[in-house]
Amino acid sequence: MTNKTVLHAKHLASGAKMVDFYGWEMPINYGSQIEEHHAVRQHAGMFDVSHMTIVDIQGSDAKAFLRHLVINDVAKLTVAGKALYTGMLNEEGGVIDDLIIYFFSDTNYRLVVNSATREKDLAWMNKQANGFELTITERPEFGMIAVQGPEAKAKVAQLLTAEQLVAVEGMKPFFGVQVGDLFIATTGYTGEDGYEIIVPESAAEDFWQKLLAVGVTPCGLGARDTLRLEAGMNLYGLDMDETVSPLAANMAWTISWEPSERNFIGRDVLTAQKAAGTQAKLVGLVLTEKGVLRAHQVVITEFGKGEITSGTFSPTLGHSVALARVPRSVKVGDIVEVEMRKKLVKVQVTKPSFVRNGKKVF
Amino acid sequence: MSNIPSELKYATSHEWVRNEGNGIITVGITEHAQDLLGDMVFVELPDVGDNVSTGDDICVAESVKAASDIYAPVTGEIIEVNEELEDSPELVNSDAFGGGWLFKMKMEDAGELESLLDAKGYANSIDQD
Protein backbone atom coordinates (compact mmCIF):
# COMPACT_ATOMS: atom_id res chain seq x y z
CA MET A 1 0.00 0.00 0.00
CA THR A 2 1.60 3.26 -1.13
CA ASN A 3 0.88 6.46 0.73
CA LYS A 4 0.29 9.68 -1.16
CA THR A 5 0.66 13.14 0.31
CA VAL A 6 -2.07 15.73 -0.04
CA LEU A 7 0.08 17.38 -2.75
CA HIS A 8 0.37 14.29 -4.95
CA ALA A 9 -1.82 15.69 -7.76
CA LYS A 10 0.18 18.92 -7.70
CA HIS A 11 3.39 17.00 -8.32
CA LEU A 12 1.91 15.20 -11.29
CA ALA A 13 0.60 18.50 -12.64
CA SER A 14 4.16 19.89 -12.51
CA GLY A 15 5.52 16.88 -14.40
CA ALA A 16 7.15 15.15 -11.45
CA LYS A 17 8.87 11.82 -11.78
CA MET A 18 7.52 9.88 -8.81
CA VAL A 19 9.36 7.21 -6.83
CA ASP A 20 8.68 5.08 -3.81
CA PHE A 21 10.26 6.57 -0.69
CA TYR A 22 9.76 4.21 2.26
CA GLY A 23 6.14 3.59 1.31
CA TRP A 24 5.38 7.11 0.09
CA GLU A 25 5.03 8.00 -3.57
CA MET A 26 7.14 11.16 -3.74
CA PRO A 27 8.64 13.36 -6.48
CA ILE A 28 12.32 12.59 -7.17
CA ASN A 29 12.52 15.50 -9.62
CA TYR A 30 10.40 17.60 -11.94
CA GLY A 31 12.82 17.29 -14.86
CA SER A 32 16.28 18.17 -13.61
CA GLN A 33 17.36 17.78 -10.01
CA ILE A 34 20.45 19.89 -10.68
CA GLU A 35 18.33 22.83 -11.86
CA GLU A 36 16.15 22.40 -8.80
CA HIS A 37 19.26 22.40 -6.62
CA HIS A 38 20.45 25.67 -8.17
CA ALA A 39 16.98 27.20 -7.75
CA VAL A 40 17.29 26.67 -3.99
CA ARG A 41 20.88 27.98 -3.76
CA GLN A 42 20.18 31.02 -5.94
CA HIS A 43 16.46 31.85 -5.63
CA ALA A 44 13.72 29.82 -3.93
CA GLY A 45 12.58 26.22 -4.13
CA MET A 46 9.94 24.21 -2.33
CA PHE A 47 9.69 20.62 -1.18
CA ASP A 48 6.68 18.59 -0.19
CA VAL A 49 7.67 17.14 3.17
CA SER A 50 4.15 16.15 4.17
CA HIS A 51 5.33 12.55 4.55
CA MET A 52 7.29 13.52 7.66
CA THR A 53 5.73 12.62 10.98
CA ILE A 54 4.45 15.30 13.35
CA VAL A 55 3.97 14.20 16.94
CA ASP A 56 2.58 16.43 19.69
CA ILE A 57 3.58 15.64 23.28
CA GLN A 58 1.38 17.27 25.86
CA GLY A 59 0.85 16.86 29.58
CA SER A 60 2.26 17.70 32.97
CA ASP A 61 5.23 15.32 32.48
CA ALA A 62 6.02 16.33 28.88
CA LYS A 63 9.22 18.13 29.83
CA ALA A 64 10.47 15.40 32.18
CA PHE A 65 9.71 12.77 29.54
CA LEU A 66 11.63 14.55 26.78
CA ARG A 67 14.57 15.19 29.11
CA HIS A 68 14.73 11.40 29.45
CA LEU A 69 13.95 10.53 25.82
CA VAL A 70 16.47 12.61 23.83
CA ILE A 71 20.17 13.44 24.15
CA ASN A 72 19.76 17.21 24.02
CA ASP A 73 18.10 18.89 26.99
CA VAL A 74 14.71 20.48 26.35
CA ALA A 75 15.16 22.39 29.61
CA LYS A 76 17.33 24.70 27.48
CA LEU A 77 14.14 25.73 25.67
CA THR A 78 12.50 28.61 27.51
CA VAL A 79 11.19 30.88 24.77
CA ALA A 80 7.92 29.77 23.15
CA GLY A 81 8.52 28.55 19.61
CA LYS A 82 12.22 27.76 20.08
CA ALA A 83 13.34 24.52 18.42
CA LEU A 84 16.08 22.00 19.09
CA TYR A 85 17.72 19.38 16.86
CA THR A 86 18.68 16.19 18.60
CA GLY A 87 18.71 12.40 18.61
CA MET A 88 16.72 9.69 20.28
CA LEU A 89 18.87 6.71 21.35
CA ASN A 90 18.25 3.13 22.29
CA GLU A 91 19.71 1.66 25.48
CA GLU A 92 22.86 0.66 23.55
CA GLY A 93 23.52 4.27 22.56
CA GLY A 94 22.51 3.81 18.90
CA VAL A 95 20.47 6.44 17.09
CA ILE A 96 16.81 5.44 16.72
CA ASP A 97 16.11 8.70 14.90
CA ASP A 98 17.08 12.34 14.65
CA LEU A 99 14.35 14.89 15.18
CA ILE A 100 13.39 18.49 15.78
CA ILE A 101 11.55 19.45 18.95
CA TYR A 102 9.55 22.69 19.13
CA PHE A 103 8.83 24.13 22.58
CA PHE A 104 5.55 25.88 23.25
CA SER A 105 5.43 25.41 27.04
CA ASP A 106 6.70 22.93 29.63
CA THR A 107 3.56 20.90 28.99
CA ASN A 108 3.37 21.25 25.21
CA TYR A 109 5.97 20.22 22.62
CA ARG A 110 5.88 19.31 18.94
CA LEU A 111 8.27 16.75 17.46
CA VAL A 112 9.00 16.25 13.77
CA VAL A 113 10.53 12.84 13.06
CA ASN A 114 11.45 10.95 9.90
CA SER A 115 8.74 9.16 7.95
CA ALA A 116 10.90 6.11 7.29
CA THR A 117 11.21 5.52 11.03
CA ARG A 118 7.64 6.52 11.99
CA GLU A 119 6.45 3.22 13.38
CA LYS A 120 9.48 2.37 15.48
CA ASP A 121 9.72 5.96 16.74
CA LEU A 122 6.11 5.97 17.92
CA ALA A 123 6.47 2.51 19.45
CA TRP A 124 9.62 3.59 21.32
CA MET A 125 8.09 6.83 22.57
CA ASN A 126 4.99 5.04 23.77
CA LYS A 127 7.07 2.43 25.54
CA GLN A 128 9.25 5.04 27.23
CA ALA A 129 6.21 7.13 28.21
CA ASN A 130 5.11 4.47 30.67
CA GLY A 131 4.76 6.17 34.05
CA PHE A 132 4.75 9.70 32.65
CA GLU A 133 1.60 11.83 32.66
CA LEU A 134 1.24 12.87 29.02
CA THR A 135 -0.34 12.18 25.64
CA ILE A 136 1.52 11.32 22.44
CA THR A 137 -0.53 12.39 19.45
CA GLU A 138 0.42 11.90 15.84
CA ARG A 139 -0.86 14.73 13.61
CA PRO A 140 -1.34 13.27 10.14
CA GLU A 141 -3.97 15.85 9.22
CA PHE A 142 -1.35 18.36 8.09
CA GLY A 143 0.69 18.93 4.98
CA MET A 144 4.21 20.30 5.27
CA ILE A 145 6.03 22.43 2.72
CA ALA A 146 9.66 23.53 3.02
CA VAL A 147 10.38 26.76 1.15
CA GLN A 148 14.12 27.31 0.97
CA GLY A 149 16.59 29.67 -0.65
CA PRO A 150 17.81 33.26 -0.45
CA GLU A 151 14.48 34.54 -1.83
CA ALA A 152 12.30 32.06 0.08
CA LYS A 153 11.18 34.33 2.91
CA ALA A 154 10.33 37.20 0.57
CA LYS A 155 8.30 34.86 -1.66
CA VAL A 156 6.39 33.41 1.28
CA ALA A 157 5.78 36.90 2.67
CA GLN A 158 3.64 37.63 -0.40
CA LEU A 159 1.19 34.94 0.74
CA LEU A 160 0.95 35.77 4.44
CA THR A 161 -1.71 37.74 6.27
CA ALA A 162 -0.78 40.95 8.07
CA GLU A 163 -0.93 39.05 11.34
CA GLN A 164 1.38 36.31 10.04
CA LEU A 165 3.83 38.84 8.67
CA VAL A 166 4.12 40.49 12.07
CA ALA A 167 4.62 37.09 13.72
CA VAL A 168 7.53 36.04 11.47
CA GLU A 169 9.16 39.47 11.30
CA GLY A 170 12.73 39.08 12.55
CA MET A 171 12.17 35.48 13.65
CA LYS A 172 15.57 33.94 14.42
CA PRO A 173 16.73 30.57 13.02
CA PHE A 174 15.20 27.48 14.63
CA PHE A 175 11.94 29.04 15.79
CA GLY A 176 8.37 28.14 14.94
CA VAL A 177 5.12 30.02 15.38
CA GLN A 178 1.47 29.06 14.90
CA VAL A 179 -0.45 31.95 13.45
CA GLY A 180 -3.76 31.60 11.69
CA ASP A 181 -3.86 28.19 10.06
CA LEU A 182 -0.09 28.04 9.42
CA PHE A 183 2.74 26.84 11.62
CA ILE A 184 5.76 28.67 10.23
CA ALA A 185 9.26 27.62 11.29
CA THR A 186 12.71 28.93 10.41
CA THR A 187 14.13 25.46 9.93
CA GLY A 188 15.23 23.51 6.90
CA TYR A 189 17.41 20.84 5.38
CA THR A 190 19.31 22.75 2.72
CA GLY A 191 21.74 25.14 4.40
CA GLU A 192 19.76 28.09 3.06
CA ASP A 193 17.44 30.60 4.61
CA GLY A 194 13.76 29.76 4.53
CA TYR A 195 10.79 28.22 6.24
CA GLU A 196 9.21 24.88 6.91
CA ILE A 197 5.47 25.44 6.97
CA ILE A 198 2.85 23.13 8.41
CA VAL A 199 -0.50 23.69 6.76
CA PRO A 200 -3.89 21.99 7.23
CA GLU A 201 -4.47 19.39 4.52
CA SER A 202 -7.50 21.30 3.25
CA ALA A 203 -5.34 24.37 2.53
CA ALA A 204 -2.17 22.63 1.32
CA GLU A 205 -2.88 22.47 -2.40
CA ASP A 206 -3.95 26.08 -2.52
CA PHE A 207 -0.81 27.17 -0.64
CA TRP A 208 1.44 25.13 -2.97
CA GLN A 209 -0.26 26.64 -6.01
CA LYS A 210 0.23 30.16 -4.68
CA LEU A 211 3.91 29.45 -4.07
CA LEU A 212 4.20 28.27 -7.67
CA ALA A 213 2.49 31.47 -8.80
CA VAL A 214 5.03 33.69 -7.02
CA GLY A 215 7.86 31.82 -8.72
CA VAL A 216 8.98 29.22 -6.19
CA THR A 217 10.48 26.20 -8.01
CA PRO A 218 9.09 22.79 -7.03
CA CYS A 219 11.99 20.52 -6.02
CA GLY A 220 12.13 16.77 -5.52
CA LEU A 221 13.93 14.35 -3.25
CA GLY A 222 16.94 14.32 -5.59
CA ALA A 223 17.71 17.99 -5.02
CA ARG A 224 16.82 17.65 -1.35
CA ASP A 225 19.57 15.05 -0.99
CA THR A 226 22.30 17.02 -2.79
CA LEU A 227 21.38 20.18 -0.86
CA ARG A 228 21.44 18.52 2.56
CA LEU A 229 24.70 16.75 1.76
CA GLU A 230 26.38 19.99 0.68
CA ALA A 231 25.13 21.48 3.94
CA GLY A 232 26.61 18.52 5.84
CA MET A 233 23.31 17.46 7.32
CA ASN A 234 22.84 13.82 8.21
CA LEU A 235 20.34 11.55 6.53
CA TYR A 236 18.95 8.89 8.84
CA GLY A 237 19.56 5.37 7.55
CA LEU A 238 22.73 6.39 5.69
CA ASP A 239 24.83 8.60 7.96
CA MET A 240 23.55 7.02 11.16
CA ASP A 241 21.22 4.32 12.38
CA GLU A 242 20.57 2.20 15.45
CA THR A 243 24.06 0.69 15.31
CA VAL A 244 25.81 4.07 15.28
CA SER A 245 26.65 6.27 18.24
CA PRO A 246 25.88 9.99 17.90
CA LEU A 247 29.59 10.51 18.69
CA ALA A 248 30.38 8.74 15.40
CA ALA A 249 27.76 10.68 13.43
CA ASN A 250 28.72 14.31 13.99
CA MET A 251 25.91 14.60 16.54
CA ALA A 252 27.99 15.23 19.67
CA TRP A 253 26.88 18.87 19.51
CA THR A 254 23.29 17.73 20.03
CA ILE A 255 24.14 16.03 23.35
CA SER A 256 23.68 18.00 26.57
CA TRP A 257 26.07 16.51 29.14
CA GLU A 258 25.07 19.04 31.78
CA PRO A 259 23.39 18.78 34.19
CA SER A 260 25.16 15.53 34.96
CA GLU A 261 22.19 14.17 36.91
CA ARG A 262 19.89 14.22 33.86
CA ASN A 263 19.49 10.56 33.06
CA PHE A 264 18.72 10.38 29.34
CA ILE A 265 18.49 7.06 27.52
CA GLY A 266 21.93 5.95 26.37
CA ARG A 267 23.82 8.28 28.71
CA ASP A 268 25.90 5.56 30.38
CA VAL A 269 26.99 4.12 27.06
CA LEU A 270 27.88 7.53 25.62
CA THR A 271 29.82 8.47 28.74
CA ALA A 272 31.91 5.32 28.45
CA GLN A 273 32.42 5.83 24.72
CA LYS A 274 33.53 9.40 25.27
CA ALA A 275 35.99 8.36 27.96
CA ALA A 276 37.44 5.61 25.77
CA GLY A 277 37.83 8.02 22.83
CA THR A 278 37.74 5.20 20.31
CA GLN A 279 34.54 6.02 18.44
CA ALA A 280 34.94 6.68 14.75
CA LYS A 281 33.97 10.12 13.50
CA LEU A 282 32.06 11.59 10.61
CA VAL A 283 34.12 13.83 8.33
CA GLY A 284 33.73 15.41 4.94
CA LEU A 285 35.59 14.18 1.86
CA VAL A 286 36.24 16.27 -1.23
CA LEU A 287 37.16 14.87 -4.64
CA THR A 288 38.09 17.59 -7.10
CA GLU A 289 38.84 15.34 -10.07
CA LYS A 290 36.25 13.47 -12.13
CA GLY A 291 34.08 10.87 -10.50
CA VAL A 292 31.43 10.73 -7.83
CA LEU A 293 31.91 9.43 -4.31
CA ARG A 294 29.08 7.07 -3.34
CA ALA A 295 27.72 5.60 -0.13
CA HIS A 296 29.46 2.42 1.09
CA GLN A 297 32.73 3.00 -0.76
CA VAL A 298 35.70 2.07 1.39
CA VAL A 299 37.99 4.82 2.71
CA ILE A 300 41.62 3.89 3.33
CA THR A 301 43.58 5.90 5.87
CA GLU A 302 46.86 5.41 7.71
CA PHE A 303 44.79 4.71 10.84
CA GLY A 304 42.62 2.04 9.27
CA LYS A 305 39.60 1.77 7.06
CA GLY A 306 36.47 3.88 7.00
CA GLU A 307 33.35 4.06 4.90
CA ILE A 308 31.49 6.69 2.93
CA THR A 309 28.02 7.09 4.42
CA SER A 310 26.64 9.49 1.77
CA GLY A 311 28.26 10.77 -1.37
CA THR A 312 27.15 12.79 -4.31
CA PHE A 313 28.07 15.25 -7.00
CA SER A 314 27.83 18.75 -5.57
CA PRO A 315 26.07 20.93 -8.14
CA THR A 316 27.16 24.09 -6.31
CA LEU A 317 30.87 23.16 -6.22
CA GLY A 318 31.04 21.24 -9.49
CA HIS A 319 32.74 18.20 -8.00
CA SER A 320 31.97 15.35 -5.66
CA VAL A 321 31.66 15.55 -1.88
CA ALA A 322 30.85 12.91 0.71
CA LEU A 323 30.31 12.23 4.37
CA ALA A 324 32.44 9.37 5.67
CA ARG A 325 32.92 7.59 8.95
CA VAL A 326 36.65 7.19 9.59
CA PRO A 327 38.99 6.41 12.49
CA ARG A 328 39.06 9.25 15.02
CA SER A 329 42.77 9.99 14.44
CA VAL A 330 42.11 11.14 10.86
CA LYS A 331 42.37 14.92 10.72
CA VAL A 332 40.90 17.70 8.65
CA GLY A 333 43.36 18.43 5.86
CA ASP A 334 44.59 14.82 5.59
CA ILE A 335 44.65 13.13 2.21
CA VAL A 336 43.05 9.68 2.26
CA GLU A 337 42.07 7.21 -0.45
CA VAL A 338 38.73 5.92 -1.61
CA GLU A 339 38.16 2.69 -3.53
CA MET A 340 36.14 3.78 -6.52
CA ARG A 341 35.24 1.51 -9.34
CA LYS A 342 38.25 -0.74 -8.90
CA LYS A 343 40.78 2.05 -8.45
CA LEU A 344 42.06 4.15 -5.56
CA VAL A 345 41.55 7.91 -5.72
CA LYS A 346 42.92 10.52 -3.35
CA VAL A 347 40.46 12.76 -1.54
CA GLN A 348 40.84 15.53 0.99
CA VAL A 349 39.38 15.31 4.49
CA THR A 350 37.30 18.34 5.54
CA LYS A 351 34.84 19.24 8.23
CA PRO A 352 31.50 17.63 7.39
CA SER A 353 29.99 20.75 5.85
CA PHE A 354 30.56 22.05 2.35
CA VAL A 355 28.11 24.82 1.41
CA ARG A 356 26.11 27.28 3.50
CA ASN A 357 24.03 30.15 2.16
CA GLY A 358 25.25 29.52 -1.34
CA LYS A 359 28.95 29.68 -0.39
CA LYS A 360 31.72 27.12 -0.07
CA VAL A 361 32.62 26.73 3.61
CA PHE A 362 35.60 24.37 3.75
CA MET B 1 7.15 6.23 -23.55
CA SER B 2 10.44 7.73 -24.63
CA ASN B 3 11.47 8.45 -28.16
CA ILE B 4 13.14 5.58 -30.10
CA PRO B 5 14.16 6.76 -33.59
CA SER B 6 13.51 4.09 -36.19
CA GLU B 7 16.65 4.83 -38.24
CA LEU B 8 18.99 3.77 -35.43
CA LYS B 9 20.19 0.42 -34.13
CA TYR B 10 20.25 -0.49 -30.45
CA ALA B 11 21.93 -2.70 -27.88
CA THR B 12 19.94 -4.14 -24.96
CA SER B 13 22.40 -2.28 -22.70
CA HIS B 14 20.79 0.96 -23.97
CA GLU B 15 23.37 2.20 -26.46
CA TRP B 16 22.16 3.54 -29.80
CA VAL B 17 24.17 3.21 -33.00
CA ARG B 18 23.89 5.39 -36.10
CA ASN B 19 25.37 4.03 -39.33
CA GLU B 20 27.28 6.91 -40.94
CA GLY B 21 28.42 4.81 -43.95
CA ASN B 22 31.93 3.67 -44.88
CA GLY B 23 32.03 1.43 -41.82
CA ILE B 24 31.72 4.39 -39.44
CA ILE B 25 29.17 4.48 -36.63
CA THR B 26 28.20 7.03 -33.97
CA VAL B 27 27.27 5.72 -30.52
CA GLY B 28 25.30 7.25 -27.66
CA ILE B 29 22.89 6.20 -24.95
CA THR B 30 19.16 6.23 -25.47
CA GLU B 31 16.66 8.70 -24.14
CA HIS B 32 15.27 5.90 -22.01
CA ALA B 33 18.72 5.27 -20.49
CA GLN B 34 19.39 8.92 -19.69
CA ASP B 35 15.96 9.13 -18.11
CA LEU B 36 16.80 6.19 -15.85
CA LEU B 37 20.15 7.70 -14.89
CA GLY B 38 18.99 11.26 -14.30
CA ASP B 39 21.13 14.39 -14.49
CA MET B 40 24.52 13.52 -16.00
CA VAL B 41 27.55 15.01 -14.25
CA PHE B 42 30.58 13.33 -15.83
CA VAL B 43 31.16 11.25 -18.91
CA GLU B 44 34.40 9.32 -19.02
CA LEU B 45 35.09 8.70 -22.69
CA PRO B 46 37.43 6.16 -24.30
CA ASP B 47 40.64 7.30 -25.97
CA VAL B 48 40.77 7.87 -29.70
CA GLY B 49 42.73 5.00 -31.21
CA ASP B 50 41.55 2.41 -28.69
CA ASN B 51 40.71 -0.95 -30.21
CA VAL B 52 37.65 -2.37 -28.53
CA SER B 53 35.61 -5.56 -28.76
CA THR B 54 31.87 -6.01 -28.64
CA GLY B 55 30.68 -5.89 -25.03
CA ASP B 56 33.80 -4.23 -23.57
CA ASP B 57 33.01 -1.60 -20.95
CA ILE B 58 34.75 1.40 -22.49
CA CYS B 59 33.00 4.42 -21.14
CA VAL B 60 31.32 5.56 -17.92
CA ALA B 61 28.29 7.80 -17.72
CA GLU B 62 28.06 9.17 -14.23
CA SER B 63 24.87 10.86 -13.12
CA VAL B 64 23.97 12.38 -9.79
CA LYS B 65 22.31 9.09 -9.03
CA ALA B 66 24.68 6.40 -10.29
CA ALA B 67 27.66 5.46 -12.43
CA SER B 68 26.81 3.35 -15.42
CA ASP B 69 29.12 1.44 -17.74
CA ILE B 70 28.70 1.88 -21.45
CA TYR B 71 29.65 -1.01 -23.70
CA ALA B 72 31.14 -1.19 -27.16
CA PRO B 73 28.20 -2.21 -29.37
CA VAL B 74 30.56 -3.68 -32.00
CA THR B 75 34.25 -4.48 -32.48
CA GLY B 76 36.45 -1.80 -33.96
CA GLU B 77 38.52 1.33 -33.33
CA ILE B 78 37.49 4.51 -31.56
CA ILE B 79 38.08 7.31 -34.06
CA GLU B 80 36.46 10.30 -32.39
CA VAL B 81 34.94 11.23 -29.02
CA ASN B 82 32.46 13.98 -28.17
CA GLU B 83 34.68 16.48 -26.37
CA GLU B 84 31.72 18.79 -25.77
CA LEU B 85 30.66 16.41 -23.02
CA GLU B 86 33.68 17.42 -20.96
CA ASP B 87 32.05 20.75 -20.16
CA SER B 88 28.44 19.91 -20.97
CA PRO B 89 27.59 16.37 -19.84
CA GLU B 90 23.95 17.49 -19.64
CA LEU B 91 23.81 17.19 -23.44
CA VAL B 92 23.32 13.47 -22.84
CA ASN B 93 20.09 14.36 -21.02
CA SER B 94 18.82 17.13 -23.25
CA ASP B 95 19.77 15.67 -26.64
CA ALA B 96 20.47 11.97 -26.19
CA PHE B 97 20.23 11.11 -29.90
CA GLY B 98 21.98 14.27 -31.15
CA GLY B 99 24.44 16.54 -29.34
CA GLY B 100 24.76 13.97 -26.55
CA TRP B 101 26.55 11.39 -28.74
CA LEU B 102 29.53 9.73 -27.04
CA PHE B 103 32.00 8.38 -29.58
CA LYS B 104 32.50 7.27 -33.20
CA MET B 105 33.93 3.94 -34.23
CA LYS B 106 35.37 2.36 -37.37
CA MET B 107 33.82 -1.10 -37.43
CA GLU B 108 36.00 -4.13 -38.05
CA ASP B 109 33.05 -5.95 -39.60
CA ALA B 110 30.13 -3.87 -40.86
CA GLY B 111 28.02 -7.03 -40.83
CA GLU B 112 28.01 -6.83 -37.04
CA LEU B 113 25.36 -4.11 -37.26
CA GLU B 114 22.86 -6.78 -38.21
CA SER B 115 23.16 -8.38 -34.81
CA LEU B 116 21.92 -5.21 -33.08
CA LEU B 117 18.26 -4.51 -32.33
CA ASP B 118 16.03 -2.35 -34.46
CA ALA B 119 13.76 0.24 -32.83
CA LYS B 120 10.95 -2.23 -32.33
CA GLY B 121 13.24 -4.85 -30.83
CA TYR B 122 14.68 -2.28 -28.44
CA ALA B 123 11.21 -1.09 -27.44
CA ASN B 124 10.34 -4.71 -26.61
CA SER B 125 13.53 -5.14 -24.59
CA ILE B 126 12.66 -2.07 -22.48
CA ASP B 127 9.19 -3.42 -21.82
CA GLN B 128 10.74 -6.57 -20.41
CA ASP B 129 12.95 -4.64 -17.96
Side-chain angles (χ1 to χ4, degrees):
Chain A
M1 170 74 194
T2 308
N3 294 302
K4 293 184 172 126
T5 75
V6 66
L7 295 169
H8 189 268
K10 288 287 169 198
H11 302 318
L12 298 184
S14 286
K17 181 171 179 184
M18 306 298 284
V19 296
D20 177 75
F21 182 76
Y22 297 102
W24 290 85
E25 195 177 312
M26 299 298 289
I28 182 81
N29 64 57
Y30 300 80
S32 165
Q33 73 174 79
I34 289 183
E35 285 170 25
E36 292 159 25
H37 180 108
H38 290 318
V40 171
R41 287 273 179 255
Q42 295 162 13
H43 304 289
M46 60 179 168
F47 305 84
D48 177 10
V49 285
S50 307
H51 59 305
M52 294 195 73
T53 306
I54 304 166
V55 183
D56 286 345
I57 298 201
Q58 294 164 322
S60 55
D61 287 341
K63 182 179 179 180
F65 169 66
L66 289 171
R67 293 191 79 200
H68 175 62
L69 185 75
V70 301
I71 57 182
N72 215 329
D73 188 357
V74 298
K76 291 198 282 195
L77 301 172
T78 54
V79 181
K82 182 64 184 162
L84 192 72
Y85 171 78
T86 189
M88 179 165 77
L89 305 191
N90 57 28
E91 302 284 359
E92 293 74 43
V95 182
I96 293 174
D97 201 5
D98 63 338
L99 65 157
I100 289 177
I101 301 176
Y102 294 93
F103 166 80
F104 303 122
S105 75
D106 285 352
T107 56
N108 186 9
Y109 295 84
R110 169 165 289 177
L111 279 50
V112 178
V113 305
N114 282 300
S115 66
T117 50
R118 173 184 164 275
E119 284 180 27
K120 68 167 189 174
D121 288 0
L122 287 166
W124 181 254
M125 286 180 211
N126 280 299
K127 183 180 168 197
Q128 297 301 327
N130 196 6
F132 289 97
E133 196 59 47
L134 53 82
T135 56
I136 297 175
T137 315
E138 197 186 347
R139 303 296 300 271
E141 71 275 29
F142 292 107
M144 192 167 1
I145 301 171
V147 189
Q148 303 273 297
E151 298 169 10
K153 286 181 173 171
K155 298 276 190 197
V156 170
Q158 297 178 52
L159 311 184
L160 298 182
T161 63
E163 187 195 9
Q164 287 165 336
L165 280 173
V166 169
V168 300
E169 172 75 34
M171 195 158 67
K172 293 198 173 70
F174 254 68
F175 267 90
V177 60
Q178 180 76 44
V179 47
D181 64 357
L182 299 181
F183 178 78
I184 307 169
T186 44
T187 50
Y189 196 45
T190 62
E192 295 295 325
D193 213 4
Y195 296 122
E196 290 181 305
I197 301 170
I198 297 176
V199 51
E201 275 192 332
S202 58
E205 284 197 297
D206 183 56
F207 196 71
W208 180 272
Q209 191 61 40
K210 284 178 174 157
L211 287 165
L212 276 178
V214 296
V216 179
T217 303
C219 302
L221 293 175
R224 189 168 165 79
D225 191 51
T226 52
L227 288 158
R228 71 91 194 167
L229 224 166
E230 284 185 352
M233 293 171 172
N234 288 359
L235 175 59
Y236 191 83
L238 279 180
D239 303 307
M240 75 293 200
D241 59 31
E242 290 189 26
T243 68
V244 175
S245 162
L247 299 177
N250 192 30
M251 289 176 69
W253 62 278
T254 76
I255 303 168
S256 272
W257 297 99
E258 299 295 334
S260 56
E261 63 270 21
R262 183 175 70 97
N263 182 29
F264 61 86
I265 299 166
R267 176 163 197 139
D268 294 348
V269 179
L270 292 192
T271 303
Q273 286 174 345
K274 197 181 173 204
T278 52
Q279 282 291 311
K281 66 176 178 183
L282 198 68
V283 297
L285 299 180
V286 171
L287 172 69
T288 47
E289 60 186 270
K290 269 192 177 188
V292 181
L293 303 166
R294 309 275 183 192
H296 308 305
Q297 285 170 342
V298 174
V299 183
I300 296 167
T301 82
E302 60 175 305
F303 306 102
K305 286 188 178 178
E307 185 182 357
I308 291 181
T309 55
S310 314
T312 192
F313 174 77
S314 158
T316 305
L317 301 169
H319 56 72
S320 183
V321 298
L323 297 176
R325 193 156 10 259
V326 298
R328 188 150 287 268
S329 303
V330 172
K331 297 206 173 36
V332 167
D334 284 359
I335 301 296
V336 298
E337 289 185 308
V338 175
E339 270 182 33
M340 279 176 70
R341 299 176 62 80
K342 294 168 251 164
K343 58 183 185 193
L344 288 175
V345 294
K346 288 189 164 53
V347 298
Q348 191 190 340
V349 177
T350 66
K351 287 184 181 170
S353 178
F354 309 99
V355 178
R356 282 290 162 114
N357 297 312
K359 302 277 187 319
K360 174 176 163 176
V361 291
F362 63 90
Chain B
M1 192 68 221
S2 55
N3 180 25
I4 305 176
S6 59
E7 71 274 19
L8 304 179
K9 291 285 198 174
Y10 300 89
T12 51
S13 46
H14 307 293
E15 293 85 5
W16 59 258
V17 174
R18 177 180 288 117
N19 187 354
E20 309 286 3
N22 298 322
I24 308 287
I25 57 166
T26 303
V27 179
I29 64 167
T30 65
E31 197 172 291
H32 176 69
Q34 69 77 26
D35 188 51
L36 290 178
L37 284 166
D39 285 330
M40 212 58 71
V41 293
F42 297 115
V43 181
E44 208 174 292
L45 294 165
D47 292 326
V48 171
D50 280 359
N51 285 298
V52 300
S53 302
T54 307
D56 287 355
D57 54 292
I58 56 169
C59 188
V60 181
E62 191 135 31
S63 71
V64 179
K65 204 162 86 181
S68 182
D69 285 319
I70 291 161
Y71 302 94
V74 296
T75 296
E77 182 190 347
I78 306 292
I79 57 166
E80 192 180 342
V81 297
N82 185 359
E83 282 163 6
E84 298 249 343
L85 299 180
E86 182 79 28
D87 293 324
S88 305
E90 68 277 7
L91 285 171
V92 175
N93 298 113
S94 61
D95 194 12
F97 295 115
W101 66 277
L102 300 175
F103 53 86
K104 294 186 181 187
M105 288 180 69
K106 174 88 179 163
M107 291 183 284
E108 195 174 280
D109 169 15
E112 219 187 325
L113 276 183
E114 298 310 311
S115 59
L116 294 169
L117 300 170
D118 60 13
K120 196 173 164 204
Y122 178 62
N124 287 337
S125 82
I126 296 176
D127 286 344
Q128 285 160 14
D129 275 354

